[in-house]
Every structure is written in C-alpha cells, then in structure tokens.
Amino acid sequence: MTIDTKFWAVVPAAGVGKRMNADRPKQYLELADKAVIEHTLLRLLSADVFSAIAVAISKEDPYWPELEVSLHEKIITADGGKERSDSVLSALKSIRALASDDDWVLVHDAARPCITATDIKLLINTLRDDDVGGILALSSHDTLKDVQGTFIRGTLDRSHIWRALTPQMFKYGSLKNALEIAEGNPAITDEASALELQGLQPKIVEGRPDNIKITRPEDLALAQFYMEHQND
Ligand code: CTP
Ligand code: MG
C-alpha cells in the first residue's frame, strides 16, 4: 500500500425499509434523539479515517435534505438505485474523480447505526496490506438447519458459516469493476459476493455483535440498548 492510499466510505441509504413496516424508511426513524442515519454517519465521521463519505439517497426522499449532516463538508450525496448494489455503484461513481483505483472503500449500511470506531479500525488494520479486502462477520451461535417448507433436510456444519456484516472493505477499482460486471444479478446481496463472482477470495474479520442492522421493529429498542452501553 502506498503512503497516500486513501480510505472512502460508501453508505447505501436508498432502501424503503419494507420489513420495518413504518411510516418512513427505517434510516429516518428516531433512535436516541437522532435519525438512525445521523448516528451512522456521525460515527463514520468520528472514526476520522475517511477522505469523504458518499451516501446513496433515493430521488424521492424528502427527509435527507432536512438533516444537518447532509450539508457536512465530507458528505457527498449520490442517487440511489433499484437494488442495494445499484445504490453502492452509484455512490462509487460519484467519487470517481476523487478516488484512485488503489484506494480502499468501506461500504457500510445506513441501517447499522451502532458501528464503532473500534470495529472500523480493526477491519482497516487487519486488511490494509491485503490484496483483495474483506468484511466484518459474525459466527452463528445457533445450530443451523437446512429446511424445505417446514421439513428439516439436514444440519449445516456451523464451523464454515459466518454472517456477513458491514463495513465491507475493497479496493475502489476492483469493487466498481465487480459491481459493474454483476449488475442485475440477484445473487449479489453484498459487496463480497460481487468479488467472489470474479473468483476472488475476500477475508472475514470477526466483528462485534452489537453492530446490528435495523430490519424489524424490535431492532430499534435493541439498538438503543446497545448505544446506551457502548463506551468505545
Ligand atoms: N439500500 C439502498 N438501495 C436499495 C436498497 C437498500 O441503498 N435499493 C440500503 C438500505 O437503505 C440499507 C442497506 O441498503 O441501509 C441494507 O438494506 P436493507 O436492510 O435490506 O434495507 P431496506 O431494503 O430498506 O429494507 P427492506 O429490505 O426491509 O425493504
Ligand atoms: Mg432490502
């Protein structure tokens, strides 16, 4: 890695939050006196490692311009896309003139407001000299079943199974290229899967269990609990 390699953050925030079933997209629900996405972005900013943060926002989104953080000098607003991967690609394109192919990009869900500087720095410090990059991940505590309908077909070997979290950290050039090649492929549900399709092997770095994604209504209370108990 050259001495002037930069780090960029990309935050997909153009989802509608269907599973949350609320009156607005989940990134704008209130959590500990702020919108979920404000926590996410303030935490990324306070890690103090990113040259800028590109945020993908839906064109029909009336909430984003109302937030003070949208005017922050390190925040760049890009258009969202149909799927999460389209939003990530759009945000990558918005920093094309600023980023070098060899710079690192950390993609982080807007819906993960409990991200800590500890985890961001762990990911960066573990992978900064790596050729491919990788993701924060968690092992599964529960026994995992392979199920058809309601019938159990078998039990999976848990030792090989990890849950993919974000941030996911890859080189600007290879991530953009992988997402462009994979465009429209429904199997691409995170950045790592786009690189895997290229035959590359991203690594996992064990993350903290408090880095939850707000998905269903009960997750808001859990996120609030974690926030109150985090002190790093
Ligand atoms: N996202 C995005 N563009 C999309 C879809 C999702 O930027 N077209 C973002 C979401 O805003 C979220 C992240 O990707 O920050 C993770 O996606 P997910 O948790 O699935 O959020 P939603 O798609 O909004 O929720 P749901 O699937 O329940 O509708
Ligand atoms: Mg979704």
Side-chain angles (χ1 to χ4, degrees):
M1 200 180 76
T2 54
I3 204 86
D4 58 349
T5 303
K6 293 190 165 91
F7 293 87
W8 305 88
V10 157
V11 175
V16 293
K18 225 181 316 163
R19 288 167 288 181
M20 200 69 193
N21 205 11
D23 67 343
R24 63 189 69 192
K26 60 192 180 183
Q27 56 273 28
Y28 298 110
L29 293 175
E30 193 179 311
L31 165 67
D33 296 330
K34 290 190 186 76
V36 166
I37 192 173
E38 292 183 281
H39 287 288
T40 309
L41 294 175
L42 293 174
R43 283 170 174 234
L44 293 175
L45 286 165
S46 69
D48 209 21
V49 290
F50 299 115
S51 299
I53 303 175
V55 188
I57 298 288
S58 162
K59 280 186 202 148
E60 289 100 56
D61 181 336
Y63 305 103
W64 174 244
E66 300 293 318
L67 300 181
E68 205 182 311
V69 74
S70 70
L71 300 171
H72 191 284
E73 57 174 9
K74 286 204 168 180
I75 303 261
I76 295 166
T77 305
D79 284 339
K82 192 164 162 281
E83 303 297 335
R84 181 182 178 283
S85 55
D86 301 317
S87 296
V88 171
L89 186 55
S90 163
L92 286 173
K93 287 178 179 167
S94 77
I95 52 169
R96 174 67 285 189
L98 306 170
S100 303
D101 279 354
D102 208 34
D103 287 348
W104 287 109
V105 178
L106 275 73
V107 181
H108 182 65
D109 292 328
R112 292 186 191 271
C114 301
I115 181 66
T116 54
T118 325
D119 255 5
I120 294 170
K121 287 174 182 165
L122 176 69
L123 184 67
I124 288 179
N125 291 333
T126 309
L127 297 176
R128 63 190 308 155
D129 295 320
D130 195 82
D131 290 335
V132 178
I135 71 172
L136 286 179
L138 274 179
S139 58
S140 176
H141 296 164
D142 299 317
T143 297
L144 296 169
K145 299 297 186 191
D146 176 15
V147 174
Q148 188 166 39
T150 51
F151 292 94
I152 296 174
R153 289 198 292 207
T155 300
L156 300 177
D157 178 0
R158 208 171 51 183
S159 64
H160 297 290
I161 307 284
W162 288 75
R163 294 155 54 200
L165 313 177
T166 72
Q168 302 206 350
M169 170 172 157
F170 297 105
K171 291 286 172 85
Y172 180 91
S174 60
L175 178 58
K176 181 165 169 286
N177 182 51
L179 288 173
E180 278 170 344
I181 292 169
E183 233 176 318
N185 181 340
I188 305 304
T189 51
D190 68 350
E191 289 60 57
S193 50
L195 279 102
E196 292 157 33
L197 212 64
Q198 303 290 294
L200 296 168
Q201 283 195 303
K203 298 196 173 54
I204 56 127
V205 174
E206 186 163 10
R208 294 169 46 142
D210 54 5
N211 181 16
I212 61 164
K213 188 175 74 162
I214 294 182
T215 305
R216 297 178 187 276
E218 60 272 21
D219 296 330
L220 266 184
L222 187 56
Q224 172 135 10
F225 174 84
Y226 281 138
M227 276 188 175
E228 282 164 8
H229 292 82
Q230 284 173 333
N231 41 27
D232 54 338

